[in-house]
Every structure is written in C-alpha cells, then in structure tokens.
C-alpha cells in the first residue's frame, strides 16, 4: 500500500506502521464470469491482507498517524474487521485499543482482536437499531475526548485522513488492469469503502491514469439497504433503517457515509443493487467452490450484486468488471460450516485406503 505513499498523508519513514498490507491480487475469473456470460470479470482479493480484510489499509494509516503524532490510545467501533485490523497494528506498535463491536459479531473476528491484545466490548443493539448506533457514536466521542484517545471508525465522515489508505484499492486496480474497469461492484455497510473507491478512481481520472470514470455500483442486503433502498425508488436521500440483515460487515443501521455514497453512485452512472442474505450466501459458496477464493459472506456481496445486474441486462458481455472480495472466510466460521454442511470427513484405517 505504501507504494502509493505520494497519495497518502505525509508520514515520515520511521513512523510508517506496516505489516505488508495492500498490493493484493486482482484475479481473473475462471468459471463464474463465463457462467454469467462475462469474459472480463476480475476479483480484487482483499482477503490477502495481513489480518484478512481490506481494513488493514485503514489500520496501517491510522497507526502511522498516531505514531507520528505521539498518540497512544485508540477507541474504535467495528463490526469485527476494523477491530481485528487495528488490534494487530496496536500489538505491533505498542498502542492500546478499546474496541466496541456489534453484539452478534462473528466469534472469529472477536477472537482475532482479543488474541492481538485488544479490550473488546459487545454492545447490545449497536449496528441494528439506528438510535442505539447513533448513541454509541456519541458516547465514544465523549470517551475518546475524556481519555485523549483517537476515535477510529472506518468512515469518511469521522476519519477522513485514515480513509485515504482505503483509496489505494482503486489505485491498485488501475495499475493492475492498466486502465479503468467499466464497472466496479462494492459491498456497502456505512458506505466508506464505496466512497474510497469512487474517490480513488476520480483521482486516477484527474491524473489521466484512466480514460473514463467506471460505473460504481453499491451492493447492500435487503435488510440493511440505507443507500440502495432509496436508489431503487428513485429517491435522492439515504435512509437510516432498523437492520434485519445477518451479513457481518454490512449491518450499519445509521447513515455514516451513506448519503455521499448515494450521490456518487448517481454521478458515476452506477446502479444500486439490493440482494437477499440468501443470495449473498449462495455467491459466497460459488466464489469458494468455483473460484477457490475463501471469502466471508460480505466479501461475496459484490458478486451477488453483479449477478443481479446481469439478470437486469445492465452489463455487456465484453465489459471489464471488478468485484471487491473484502474479507476472508476465516472470519466467519458459521457461514463456512453452512457451505460444508453436506460433507463429512470419515476416519479410515490404513487398509481402507485403496481397498
Ligand atoms: C468484509 C467487509 N466488507 C464490506 C464492508 C463495508 O464497508 P463500509 O461500512 O465502509 O461500507 C465491511 C465493513 O465493515 C466489511 O467488514
């Protein structure tokens, strides 16, 4: 990621907090693309980051800024991935992390954060009820002021400097393709990731690295469609919801960057895609079984959205399409156990092999 350091806030070399994040593979689809009638489908495999999700890009820059500015304590909210990413960098660079997460966050994400030494608290109703979610942010603002801690939330509206790290996803896609894609599909919770990709592509357009602005498509589950729900009804305002989705990472009841994400979708010519949790699980299984990409459910949401767009005839067969695969299957054991529910592992005696 630090290859793009000229685009990041200036950090002196001794303060760069890195674990080798970014520079993740852009893999051409082998089976899923052709089955959808697409010849140029690519996956940006963010599962290859040090803690298994794209949030390491945010955490690396967050920790670097803290080291440079002599700060030592982080207070953060997370659905799980930001938390485990920050916890890893905190461990490596001697920082302290108090982490507030959704009550139903997958155990794997929480154990990862605990293993790195973070103090982890699950908060009832956070991410699900919009009132509770807003109150959590208010309380944490107070707490971080009182404790002189840095409040870290992976959203532009709260942490614009740290989110610059996430924009490097877009710069890498441009570099790896040698041009811009026609379409980019992005899973959306609070919208920060989507906004990062849009802004990164805009930077590339302004610098002449790409010749056209890719259509950016936000994808959300039906049960938490703060951006794509209003878009589907032709409305121009994002709407907070009571979250009914079970897809970890995409459960954000309040708006955060949702309004900005909605406006940038329209500016880029993209369309919002609303998909069911079941469709996300189905495409998670297909990414794993047909592409060998071990993803958590949220990491398959972009592909679920693409499949919906293909169904609606919104994509041409030859166009270049990139789907972000944002987090690893190791992050969500329950969803992987569902993928293998019909498989068993028999125990054999030696003689039973080739009997
Ligand atoms: C794996 C994964 N994908 C996508 C997202 C959505 O990002 P955002 O909330 O910035 O829209 C998250 C957020 O936690 C995530 O963990």
């Amino acid at each position: 990621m630090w290859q793009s350091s000229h685009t990041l806030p200036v950090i002196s070399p001794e303060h760069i907090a890195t674990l080798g994040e970014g520079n993740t593979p852009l893999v051409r689809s082998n089976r899923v693309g052709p089955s959808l009638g697409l010849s140029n489908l690519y996956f940006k495999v963010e599962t290859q980051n040090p803690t298994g999700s794209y949030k390491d890009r945010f955490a690396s820059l967050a920790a670097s800024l803290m080291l440079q500015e002599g700060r030592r304590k982080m207070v953060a909210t997370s659905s799980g991935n930001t938390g485990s990413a920050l916890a890893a960098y905190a461990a490596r660079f001697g920082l302290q992390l108090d982490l507030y997460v959704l009550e139903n966050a997958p155990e794997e994400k929480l154990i990862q954060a605990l293993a790195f030494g973070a103090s982890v608290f699950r908060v009832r109703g956070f991410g699900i009820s919009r009132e509770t979610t807003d109150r959590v942010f208010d309380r944490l603002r107070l707490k971080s002021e009182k404790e002189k801690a840095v409040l870290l939330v992976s959203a532009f509206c709260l942490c614009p400097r740290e989110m610059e790290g996430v924009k490097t996803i877009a710069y890498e896609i441009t570099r790896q393709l040698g041009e811009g894609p026609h379409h980019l599909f992005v899973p959306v919770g609070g919208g920060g990731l989507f906004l990062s990709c849009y802004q990164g592509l805009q930077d590339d357009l302004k610098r002449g690295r790409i010749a056209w602005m890719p259509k950016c498509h936000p994808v959300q589950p039906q049960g938490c469609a703060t951006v794509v729900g209003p878009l589907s009804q032709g409305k121009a305002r994002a709407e907070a919801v009571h979250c009914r989705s079970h897809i970890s990472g995409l459960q954000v009841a309040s708006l955060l960057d949702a309004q900005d994400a909605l406006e940038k979708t329209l500016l880029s010519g993209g369309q919002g895609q609303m998909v069911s949790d079941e469709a996300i699980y189905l495409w998670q299984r297909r990414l794993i079984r047909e592409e060998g990409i071990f993803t958590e459910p949220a990491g398959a949401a972009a592909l679920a959205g693409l499949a919906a767009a293909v169904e609606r005839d919104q994509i041409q067969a030859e166009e270049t399409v990139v789907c972000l695969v944002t987090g690893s299957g190791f992050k969500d054991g329950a969803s992987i156990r569902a993928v293998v529910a019909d498989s068993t592992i028999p125990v054999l005696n030696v003689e039973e092999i080739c009997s």
Side-chain angles (χ1 to χ4, degrees):
M1 173 181 115
W2 291 93
Q3 278 174 355
S4 308
S5 61
H6 55 286
T7 65
L8 299 173
V10 179
I11 305 284
S12 53
E14 72 272 23
H15 294 130
I16 291 180
T18 182
L19 273 165
E21 55 294 314
N23 217 1
T24 54
L26 185 72
V27 176
R28 193 183 194 122
S29 172
N30 206 35
R31 295 175 65 191
V32 168
S35 82
L36 289 171
L38 303 176
S39 38
N40 293 303
L41 171 60
Y42 293 84
F43 300 111
K44 180 70 172 155
V45 189
E46 287 293 297
T47 65
Q48 300 300 304
N49 280 298
T51 73
S53 86
Y54 79 92
K55 302 279 190 177
D56 290 327
R57 297 174 188 265
F58 174 84
S60 171
L61 185 50
S64 302
L65 286 163
M66 287 183 67
L67 294 181
Q68 178 148 286
E69 292 163 9
R71 311 287 295 271
R72 304 244 55 96
K73 179 158 185 186
M74 306 169 166
V75 169
T77 63
S78 175
S79 59
N81 283 331
T82 306
S84 45
L86 287 172
Y89 290 79
R92 182 169 167 87
F93 298 100
L95 306 171
Q96 194 197 330
L97 170 61
D98 283 358
L99 180 62
Y100 296 83
V101 299
L102 273 68
E103 193 179 356
N104 66 353
E107 209 183 317
E108 291 75 8
K109 296 182 182 179
L110 304 186
I111 287 176
Q112 199 182 9
L114 273 186
F116 287 128
S119 303
V120 184
F121 307 89
R122 296 191 294 160
V123 184
R124 281 188 199 96
F126 177 47
I128 306 300
S129 139
R130 59 201 243 204
E131 290 80 15
T132 309
T133 306
D134 288 341
R135 282 176 57 215
V136 169
F137 288 126
D138 290 344
R139 291 235 164 198
L140 291 184
R141 244 181 242 118
L142 284 178
K143 177 181 163 73
S144 51
E145 269 165 35
K146 201 163 133 199
E147 297 178 10
K148 301 202 182 343
V150 179
L151 176 60
L152 291 168
V153 180
S154 64
F156 270 96
C157 58
L158 294 167
C159 293
R161 291 190 308 164
E162 291 80 358
M163 289 300 284
E164 289 292 315
V166 183
K167 284 165 69 175
T168 56
I169 297 177
Y171 306 142
E172 288 174 20
I173 292 173
T174 297
R175 200 170 63 226
Q176 288 165 316
L177 281 177
E179 59 183 5
H182 295 100
H183 301 274
L184 178 67
F185 284 79
V186 183
V188 167
L193 170 64
F194 180 88
L195 216 48
S196 304
C197 293
Y198 175 90
Q199 290 189 8
L201 291 169
Q202 274 287 308
D203 292 350
D204 279 346
L205 190 65
K206 284 185 198 134
R207 292 189 186 113
R209 294 199 185 113
I210 55 176
W212 63 83
M213 183 62 195
K215 292 188 169 128
C216 299
H217 305 273
V219 183
Q220 285 187 300
Q222 278 159 3
C224 201
T226 52
V227 177
V228 305
L231 274 175
S232 71
Q233 296 166 10
K235 294 186 191 162
R237 296 227 56 88
E239 287 169 9
V241 296
H242 184 89
C243 175
R244 287 175 288 101
S245 170
H246 293 100
I247 308 296
S248 169
L250 308 186
Q251 298 167 301
V252 183
S254 59
L255 289 183
L256 294 178
D257 293 326
Q259 181 58 33
D260 231 354
L262 185 149
E263 287 166 17
K264 300 304 186 285
T265 303
L266 295 174
L267 280 178
S268 79
Q271 277 120 350
Q273 302 294 340
M274 188 152 45
V275 292
S276 63
D277 283 11
E278 289 66 33
I280 293 174
Y281 293 130
L282 181 137
W283 287 101
Q284 177 194 21
R285 185 187 173 89
R286 289 197 60 179
L287 258 181
I288 294 172
R289 286 276 163 100
E290 296 174 39
E291 297 285 356
I293 297 177
F294 198 56
T295 180
E296 65 175 295
L303 179 58
L306 169 62
V310 168
E311 193 119 295
R312 292 183 194 120
D313 267 340
Q314 292 166 349
I315 313 289
Q316 306 297 311
E318 302 300 321
E319 287 180 320
T320 306
V321 182
V322 175
C323 286
L324 298 190
V325 182
T326 46
S328 164
F330 291 116
K331 298 282 195 168
D332 191 334
S335 71
I336 300 299
R337 280 191 289 281
V339 170
V340 299
D342 51 1
S343 312
T344 54
I345 307 177
V347 181
L348 304 179
N349 295 316
V350 180
E351 309 77 58
E352 292 175 271
I353 304 173
C354 196
S355 56

